[in-house]
Every structure is written in C-alpha cells, then in structure tokens.
C-alpha cells in the first residue's frame, strides 16, 4: 500500500495545475513552470522512461531554485514571498514523491495553498474554485487507498455534503477571535483613490469597475446627498494635491441629530480612508474622525469589513481655527499671470468685507464657466502644473472632474476664500431598490469645498458643465456613456450591456449576501444571531444554545450519513415471522444460516411441536404476501 | 540497573496488555469485528492534519478571513466524520483463518485470511508485530494473504495478527489484533549437495532380482537423463554402453524399492543440517515417485510415496526435537 504508481502522479499533477491556476497572480509563473516540469519528469520516472538524479544534484538545484524564487519575488510583499516559498516546496515535493507519506504532505501543503488563495480573494467565484481545488486534494488522498473512479469522486462529494450541517453549525458557533498577532498582508489590495492626486489620476480609475464598497441604507437617501467624501486634499504645490498634517489630526466628531443610518460593507483595501456621507458619525467604533471632517479606518484592515454610520443633520455653523483657514488660502507663488487676471476680473466690484462675499464670488465663477465653451471628457489632455491650469481654463476648456475642482479651488483661493479639493465617489449603482448601493472605482469623483464664513459649502463644478454626469453614473449618463465605452476594455463593454444587466445585478446580490453572511460573520453578528435565536427560544442560555446547535448539526450529519430514508420498513408478515423465530430461538431451536423455512419447519415439528403451527401460519402468511400479489 | 528495571517494566506491561487483550479479543478460529474488538486512533498523518487545521484556523482568525475559517472547520468536520467512516469500514466483517500456514523455513509462509461481509472493507492490511517480512496485500474474493518469513523450523504458535485499515484519507487507523489460536509449521530448509542418508533395503540383495521385482510391480515408463544422486540401480546400463550417456529408467506406479531414511548423522554435519539434507532428499524422492520410509528420533514414518508421504515426512522433520534434548 506504500508504493505509488503513475496514476497517483497524474492525479497530483492535476492538483498541482489547479492550485497553480488559483495562485497564478501571486506566485512567479516561472516557479509554476518548474513545478510542472518536475511533475512531468516524476511521471516519466514512474513510467520507467527516466531516472532519478543523484541526491547531490537535487540539493544543488534546490538551493538554486530557492535563490531564484527569492529573486523573482524580491519586489513582493512579505506575504507573497511566503506563499511563493510554500509553492516552491509544493513544486519540489515532486522530486521525492516516493511514499504515501510524501503524498499526504503534498496534499496538506496544497490545502494550505488553497487557504492562502482565500486571503487574496474572497469573491464567491474564488471561493468556489478554491473548494474545487481542495476537493481535488482530498481526492488525491483518497486515491492512496482505493482506485479512483467517478464513483469514488461522487462518494467523496457526498461525504463532504453530508458533513455540511456539522460544518455550518461549527462555523456558526465557533468563537471568532480577534487577530492574535499582526500578519503580513498581501500586496494586491490597492483600491481606488490615492493620497496624492495629480490632475488626470482619477481618469485612470474610471477604467476599472472594481467594487469599492457597498452601502446599505435604512432609508433611501436623496440622490444629491450621495457625495461619498473620502479625502480632503488641501495642500497644492503647483504639481499635485496632498493632505496636510493639520488636517489629519484626530478630533472628536461634531454632534448633531441623526437623519439616516447606513452601513458600509468595505472591500479589502489597505488604505486608511473611508468614503462616508458628510457629516456622519460612526456607530460601534472602527473608525476615527480627523480634523478635515473625514473618517479614517482604525488601523489596517485587510479583509472585507462592515462599519455602521449615522448620517447627521448638516451643522448650521462650525468652528475652524483661523490659522487653518488662512492655510487654506495659500497658493504657490508662481501662478501664471493670465490666471491672476481672470481672478481679478471675476472679483472686480465685489467687496471682500461683505458677509456673502464668498457666495458672490462663487456665483461669478459659475457664471463665467457657463459662459465659456467648457466640455466634460473622460480622456482629457495632460495639464501638467500651473501652466496646465491656465491651458485648461483659457485654451482647451475640456477636462475631467479633477480639473474643474482644482481650477475652482485655485480661483477661490486667489480671491482669499479658504477652499479645498475633496475626492471621493459620487452616486453608485442601486442593487436593491433604495436600500443597497454599490460604489465602484468608476464612480470616483472630485469636487471642492469653500468656507463661507459660517461653515463649509460643498460645490461640484462638474455639475455646471455636465449635470447629467452628476445625476447618473458613467455608463448611464448620456454625455459619458459613449466615451466610457470607448476607453473601457471589451470585457467590460459586453458586461455592461443591457442584456447582462439582470445577471450582473443578480450576481452582485449573491456577492452581497455572501459578504454579509459569510465573510463578515464576526463576533458581533454571531452574538446578534444568538440573541435573535434566544428571543425566539425563550428560557435558554447561550451555552445551551451553542451546544444545541452543535448537536443539531451533528444529528443532521448522522442522518445524512445513515440515510434512514433508504431504510426499508419491514412489513407485518416479516415481523411476525421474525418474532416466531425469536420465540423458537429462546426455546433453543435456532434457524441455521441459509436454512430454508420448510426445512426449519420440519425441524421445529420434531423439536418443538407445540410452536410448529404458529410458525407454519407465519410462513404461509409471508409466502402469500411475497408471492401472490 | 536502570536498563533491567526498564526491561522489567516493559515485560510487565507486555504481560498486562496481553492479558487485557486476551480478555478483550479472545482467541477463536473466526472473529466478527465489532465495537468490542476494534480499536481506532488517529494516525500520525491524522494528528498532523489536525495540527494543520488548528494553524489554518489561527491564520483565518488572524486575517479575520471567514473563508479560511470555513475551510478549516469543514475539514475539521471531515476529520471527525472520517473517524466514523473508518470504523464503519472495518466493523461487521467476519475474519477467519483459511488454512494453517505450513511451508519451508527460508521461503515465505503464506497465511490466508478469509473476510466475509456484504461489503468488502477497503484498503485492509494485515501484519504481525515484531515478525520479519510483513508483506500484506489483498487478494480477490475477500481473501487476504500474508507472507511470513520463518527462520527456524518447527511448530510455532502464531502471534496475534493485526488487521488494520486507514481507509478514508488515512486520517485514522482502525485495527484489531486477532488471535486465531493457530500454529504454523516450518519445515527445515533443504540442503543440497550431500549424499542421501539412506539405507536401501534392497542393497543386500541381488540387484537384478530387485530390478525385475520392481518391473513386475510398476510399469516402465521410459528413460530420462541421470541427475547426480539418483539411485544407481535404476541406471540404464545398456543405453550407457551404447554411448547415449547416463540415463535412468523411470517407472510409474508404486516402486517397490524402498529407501529407508533416517536422521543418523553425516560426518561433519550437525543435527539441523542433517535434517536439512533429509528435507532435500524427501523432495527429490517424492519427485521421482520413489517410496521411502523415514525415522526421525523416536518417530517412525511407514513406507510410502507421493505428495502425501512427502508432507508427512516434512512434518516429521519439522517437529523433530532439537539435538540437545
């Protein structure tokens, strides 16, 4: 039983290829090739077509491969390096795949690699693929004892399904621990906006339909409220916008009455920013408030995460330190003369002392923009630096939201009005009518805020030029749908056509439930489920409930394994026959194995004549039932 | 001191466990595998798998990744269920010994086990602890063969045979140690190259008469090439004189020329070697359909020929008391 044959190797090669496919984006592809070559060569050895090299060569090549993998993975994050090294061990296990133990080790490593792949991706499809690969590894283990066939695969599948109740019960009751220690995170978690914005950056983002977060509302919000405010960019050096140190200081959030509740279901991301409606207040922790009015994640959060927020009544007035307001009027010194002239023209005749001076300036700016031939485009020309600002405003007059926001902030600051650029997302796609909103990368947007003396006013200059864009998202709005089609890949083009709309929404729905109930089944959710169940089953403690659920799962599994629905209920005649036999056996007349009833009856007539008639009756009844329908 | 104490402890433990086993799994010719006589524990891989699952669950909770936790818990449920499946695989079978293992010392002795059930157990393995050459494999029709290597001739009590299976996924090992209360019999290994330690009853008489006698009782069936050690009285001298080489006359039926073999010592051979030489000659004679009688120690085997006689003779040799007794 200890020796392997080539069918085991073939099976393991299948497992290897499936695992490699699962991890292809994380490990160097050269490594996968090496593993496939090693597996193929091992198969040849098993078939007697090749020979094993000397152990010395094996050791040498092992060292070389480790060096190669470390070199290939040199730019990887620590976690990816780790996965690559495990994958290397998995690949090179082929060199010494001799015994049962080696295959066991191989399968176990494979199962670990499947678990690693789940760190990278937690989409339902990825989970399904991972389940298939895990199944293949279990099949490989099974093939050590029996010759694998379709029947056996089916049997293993049935076992795995039969244990589902137990596994689910375990999943529900198993305590969710906090992370015990910090783990290295994989590199492929970059989503969306970055801390530094150059004009044109966001137009790269709109090519991606990657989900950023979902929001679930308790009450449908107004469409024009859906400005997801992520980052405030208040420092401009002439080239790029960044976040100043002052703005990032932690602060106690403003308090006012809540008008709506919403829940953010965040996709994995390594950045700290959170896109929230403004103003909002976190419920139950998990985020910090900073001075510029935005929310930041608490610490690093790699997996999908749920945060609860209350949307607040906009404050009528707020207090901002004058020094910060002054900071928000600062501009690089070398503003081009033409832009200065434009600013002077826009501000002429207005008194900076007037209480509604900022508002008047902004109205003038709006009027000027509307009077010009501005257009909105998804593929704007490059407008580098301050000269670019001038070219956008006075020459080309065609751009993207960042260009509009940036230029209006510069014009406001030139007038001495504190202003800042805000990036985030606008709108989203409703996945459930008025309650579930999906926000994707292409919803990224930029706008500005200015200080009107009492508080911050949100102003979206894009809305002046392309009001359609603000109301709908990119592929729906008339102005941009055509453009978006032309810059997106063919896969996206097909995926976003009308025909696939229903399927797309349906898949999104599945993904949402998946995320909410499987991926985010955390301690809180567990407790809330328990308390719901407790309310339903009065008078039982949490411990009893846990034990009960595990017992229920176990029971269901036992039932599925024993398949009582396949049991045949014995009919009356058989029972009475058995009863007669049992009575006779107590008197010492035992029916022998394979003895016919007629023969037994003859024996009974001799040995226990007083019971013979009853037995005969039972036999006759049975025969009647059995053979005369 | 330490060693003897340890050994004494080991011995005591062995005796205790043997006594416990004797109560638990009493010796009988056939054994029905039930909850009472089946034992089950995780294999080394089973423990390793469990540890790996714990690591996987820790990884899942460190990444706050429910999918990894789900995978780990699913595999944990599978681990638990394999316990049941592994036991189910063995339970309910009836194992019995088909034949007493009997054979030559230096060749593997085959032990045949019969397994009866409505469904065959998968991946069943049999072995005997501390017995060299354990090579178990399953055969068709529910029979399991176990080839034992026996070094010493004679009658030996068969130790407990452990029947085990690690069938689903190798996570658990379910086993029993069956005692079929059976002895194996090992004949001495044949030793060639020595003269036959025999006395031909006919040697004293006239060779010609004996030959004619034999021809009377058995039929001449032809000539065959002479092999060294064959009786000279059967040589076909005429053919030899005609230059056709040495040939012997072969007879079918019951040749009357009786050889009397005995365990009297050859010069330069010890008693065990003498028995081996006898074992060689018994085979030779049986092959030539030669009748012989045998005396080993105080025991006597009456004259006869054929496979039956050979077996009886070999048994006599196997059971011969060793020389120093």
């Amino acid at each position: 039983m200890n020796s392997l044959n080539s069918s085991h190797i073939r099976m393991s090669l299948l497992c290897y290829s499936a695992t490699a496919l699962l991890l292809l984006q994380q490990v160097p592809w050269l490594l996968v090739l090496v593993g496939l070559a090693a597996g193929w060569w091992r198969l040849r050895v098993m078939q007697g077509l090749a020979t094993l090299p000397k152990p010395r060569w094996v050791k040498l090549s092992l060292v070389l491969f480790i060096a190669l993998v470390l070199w290939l993975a040199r730019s990887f994050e620590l976690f990816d390096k780790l996965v690559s090294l495990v994958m290397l061990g998995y690949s090179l296990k082929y060199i010494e795949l001799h015994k049962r133990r080696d295959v066991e080790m191989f399968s176990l490593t494979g199962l670990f690699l499947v678990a690693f792949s789940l760190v990278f991706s937690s989409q339902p499809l990825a989970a399904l693929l991972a389940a298939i690969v895990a199944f293949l590894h279990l099949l490989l283990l099974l093939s050590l004892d029996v010759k694998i066939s379709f029947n056996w695969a089916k049997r293993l599948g049935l076992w795995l399904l039969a244990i589902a109740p137990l596994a689910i019960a375990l999943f529900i009751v198993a305590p969710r621990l906090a992370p015990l220690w910090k783990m290295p995170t994989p590199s492929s978690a970059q989503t969306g906006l970055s801390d530094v914005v150059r004009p044109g950056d966001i137009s790269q983002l709109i090519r991606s339909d990657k989900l950023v977060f979902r929001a679930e509302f308790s009450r449908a919000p107004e469409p024009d409220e859906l400005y997801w405010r992520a980052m405030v960019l208040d420092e401009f050096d002439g080239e790029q916008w960044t976040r100043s140190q002052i703005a990032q200081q932690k602060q106690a959030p403003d308090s006012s009455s809540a008008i709506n509740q919403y829940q953010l279901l965040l996709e994995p991301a390594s950045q700290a920013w959170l896109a929230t409606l403004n103003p909002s207040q976190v419920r139950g922790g998990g985020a910090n408030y900073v001075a510029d009015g935005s929310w930041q994640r608490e610490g690093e959060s790699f997996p999908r995460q749920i945060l609860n927020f209350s949307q607040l009544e906009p404050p009528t007035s707020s207090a901002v330190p004058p020094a910060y307001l002054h900071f928000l009027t600062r501009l690089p010194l070398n503003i081009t003369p033409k832009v200065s002239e434009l600013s002077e023209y826009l501000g002429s005749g207005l008194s900076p002392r007037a209480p509604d001076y900022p508002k008047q300036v902004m109205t003038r700016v709006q009027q000027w923009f509307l009077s010009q031939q501005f257009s909105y485009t998804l593929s704007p020309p490059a407008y580098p630096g301050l000269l670019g600002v001038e070219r956008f405003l006075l020459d080309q007059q065609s751009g993207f939201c960042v260009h509009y926001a940036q230029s209006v902030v510069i014009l406001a600051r030139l007038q001495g009005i504190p202003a800042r650029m805000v990036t985030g997302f606008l709108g989203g796609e409703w996945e459930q009518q008025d309650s579930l909103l999906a926000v994707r990368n292409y919803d990224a947007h930029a706008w500005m805020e200015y200080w009107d003396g009492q508080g911050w006013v949100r102003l979206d200059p894009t809305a002046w030029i392309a009001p359609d864009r603000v109301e709908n998202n990119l592929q729906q709005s008339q102005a941009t749908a055509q453009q978006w089609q032309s810059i997106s890949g063919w896969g996206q083009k097909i995926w976003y056509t009308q025909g696939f709309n229903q399927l797309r929404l349906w898949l999104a729905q599945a993904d949402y439930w998946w995320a909410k109930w499987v991926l985010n089944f955390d301690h809180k959710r567990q407790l809330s489920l328990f308390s719901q169940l407790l309310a339903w089953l009065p008078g039982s403690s949490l411990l009893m409930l846990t034990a009960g659920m595990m017992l229920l799962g176990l029971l269901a599994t036992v039932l599925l394994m024993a398949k009582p629905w396949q049991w045949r209920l014995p009919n009356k005649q058989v029972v009475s026959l058995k009863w007669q036999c049992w009575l006779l056996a107590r008197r010492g007349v035992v029916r022998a194995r394979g003895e016919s009833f007629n023969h037994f009856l003859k024996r009974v007539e001799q040995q226990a004549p007083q019971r013979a008639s009853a037995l005969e009756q039972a036999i006759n009844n049975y025969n009647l039932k059995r053979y005369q329908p | 001191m330490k060693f003897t104490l340890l050994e004494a402890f080991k011995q005591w433990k062995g005796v205790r466990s043997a006594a416990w086993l004797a109560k638990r799994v009493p010796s009988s010719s056939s054994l029905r595998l039930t909850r009472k006589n089946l034992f089950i524990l995780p294999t080394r891989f089973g423990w390793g798998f469990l540890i790996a699952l714990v690591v996987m669950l820790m990884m899942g909770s460190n990444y706050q990744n429910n999918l990894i936790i789900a995978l780990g818990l699913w595999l944990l449920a599978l681990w638990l269920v394999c316990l049941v499946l592994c036991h189910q695989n063995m339970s309910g079978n009836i194992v019995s010994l088909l034949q007493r293992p009997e054979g030559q010392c230096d060749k593997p002795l085959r032990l045949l086990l019969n397994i009866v059930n409505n469904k065959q157990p998968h991946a069943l393995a049999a072995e005997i602890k501390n017995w060299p050459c354990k090579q178990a494999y399953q055969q068709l029709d529910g029979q399991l063969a176990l080839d034992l290597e026996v070094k010493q001739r004679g009658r030996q009590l068969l130790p407990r045979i452990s029947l085990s299976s690690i069938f689903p996924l190798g996570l658990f090992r379910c086993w029993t140690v069956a005692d079929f209360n059976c002895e194996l019999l090992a004949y001495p290994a044949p030793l060639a190259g020595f003269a036959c330690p025999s006395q031909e009853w006919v040697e004293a008489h006239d060779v010609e008469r004996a030959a004619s006698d034999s021809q009377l009782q058995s039929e001449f069936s032809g000539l065959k090439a002479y092999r060294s050690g064959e009786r000279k009285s059967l040589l076909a001298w005429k053919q030899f004189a005609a230059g056709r080489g040495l040939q012997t006359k072969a007879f079918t039926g019951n040749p009357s020329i009786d050889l009397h073999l005995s365990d009297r010592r050859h010069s330069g051979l010890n008693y065990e070697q003498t028995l081996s030489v006898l074992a060689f000659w018994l085979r030779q004679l049986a092959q030539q359909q030669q009748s012989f009688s045998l005396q080993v120690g105080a025991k006597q085997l009456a004259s006869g020929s054929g496979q039956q006689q050979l077996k009886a003779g070999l048994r006599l040799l196997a059971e011969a008391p060793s020389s120093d007794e």
Side-chain angles (χ1 to χ4, degrees), chain A residues 35-47:
Chain A
L36 283 176
W40 176 75
W41 168 72
R42 161 55 70 181
L43 187 64
R44 302 232 323 150
V45 170
M46 273 288 169
Q47 289 167 340

Side-chain angles (χ1 to χ4, degrees), chain A residues 491-532:
Chain A
Q492 273 183 5
K493 265 181 225 170
I494 295 169
W495 191 228
Y496 281 93
T497 51
Q498 206 63 39
F500 281 109
N501 223 14
Q502 200 52 46
L503 178 67
R504 203 163 52 82
L505 289 180
W506 187 77
L507 279 181
Q509 188 80 14
D511 184 53
Y512 168 70
W513 283 105
W514 174 255
K516 191 167 174 182
W517 287 104
V518 179
L519 301 181
N520 284 296
F521 189 80
D522 57 358
H523 185 61
K524 272 183 249 163
R525 200 162 282 265
Q526 198 172 21
L527 280 184
S528 86
L529 181 74
F530 279 169
S531 61
Q532 275 172 28

Side-chain angles (χ1 to χ4, degrees), chain A residues 161-204:
Chain A
L161 285 183
I163 62 171
L166 181 59
I168 291 169
L170 279 174
F171 183 75
I172 291 172
V173 300
R176 292 293 184 276
L177 305 170
L180 301 173
W181 57 82
K182 195 171 146 57
M183 301 283 272
T185 48
S187 58
S188 57
Q190 309 295 327
T191 305
L193 305 167
S194 66
D195 286 7
V196 177
V197 169
R198 282 180 202 83
D201 276 2
I202 288 185
S203 65
Q204 294 302 315

